[in-house]
Amino acid sequence: MRVLGIETSCDETGVALYDTEHGLLADALYSQIAMHADFGGVVPELASRDHTRKLLPLIQQVLDDARLSRGDLDGIAYTAGPGLVGALMVGATTAHGLARALDLPVLGVHHMEGHLLAPMLEADPPAFPFVALLVSGGHTQLVAVKGLGDYRLLGESVDDAAGEAFDKAAKMLELPYPGGPQVAKLAESGDPGRFRFPRPMTDRPGLDFSFSGLKTHTLTTARALREAGELDDQGRADIARAFEDAVVDTLVIKCRRALDETGLKRLVVAGGVSANRRLRERLDAELTKRRARAYYPRGRFCTDNGAMIAYVGAQRLLAGERDADAMRAVPRWPLAELTAPTIAS
Ligand code: ATP
Ligand code: MG
Ligand code: FE
């Protein structure tokens, strides 16, 4: 089954073709980051307009790349949520319009299920069951995964997501949006011994996270250095390093705990922050010690992309699940509400 996947939940227009027999056939991405950078964050109305401008050309591009035409498609999947409602609507209406015109089944899928299953696109995918750490711009969650659609929330952030904290720390260090990769780069030249930031909520049992305190810590440290006339390149790098070490350490401690509590040996790490090199190094080292293993998406499938949506859509469409007539755009939608594919009657 050949499925066209469409992702427009935030500031990335992603399109891909996934074939349940031959794997990923093509994928294309247009990032709006440069446009939103001037505003220091995503401007919802501009995001919707830009998705409208780019979506159809990108669909044509993936068909051309795969040397296919619209008639070769067997189904269409789009991100139905969570995300910015106007941005979601662009993908949802386009998917439903195309499906109606081509007489194809269409399905709205969950953006975080896309992130969660992105490692399935790699050569050596994880087998079920596993623990998943979802670390993105809007989510930080630990999930016990038994199979497609069988997700139990183990813990989550009670305030900021890890990616959001990276982005805010970046602003305080006067780095451009989105800050994650920039903070990571600056941290490379930082001295790990100069500052030690707290590891929030690791001193008590449980699998929840909190990252807003680290933000305050970053702010007060930067302010103190500025007042002392020491907020130079080295000072900023030292703060970036302390911040990154604290986030990474916290995530590693909670992942270890989640594996212990579930008795599982496989950990999937996905979402934008899973691209972080230090996080991967630390997790790999910790998991090797306990004969466990971590699975990650390739770099460009850590952040938003169409491939993960095409993949999830293909699994569910193949099982017979599809939207009824109406398209869906659901800004808030907890992952644990998902179920195994439900067959259309
Ligand atoms: P969600 O998926 O929760 O709706 P989103 O789609 O905006 O949010 P993603 O696209 O998955 O999030 O990831 C973007 C986030 O990942 C940003 O916050 C960005 O700063 C962060 N990020 C990307 N690369 C890195 C990195 N190397 N280190 C740390 N953070 C990173
Ligand atoms: Mg994004
Ligand atoms: Fe995302």
Side-chain angles (χ1 to χ4, degrees), residues 7 9-10 111-112 115 136-139 271-272 302-305 308:
E7 155 64 37
S9 71
C10 188
H111 180 78
M112 297 312 293
H115 278 304
S136 56
H139 296 80
C302 289
T303 42
D304 295 348
N305 64 87
M308 66 187 194

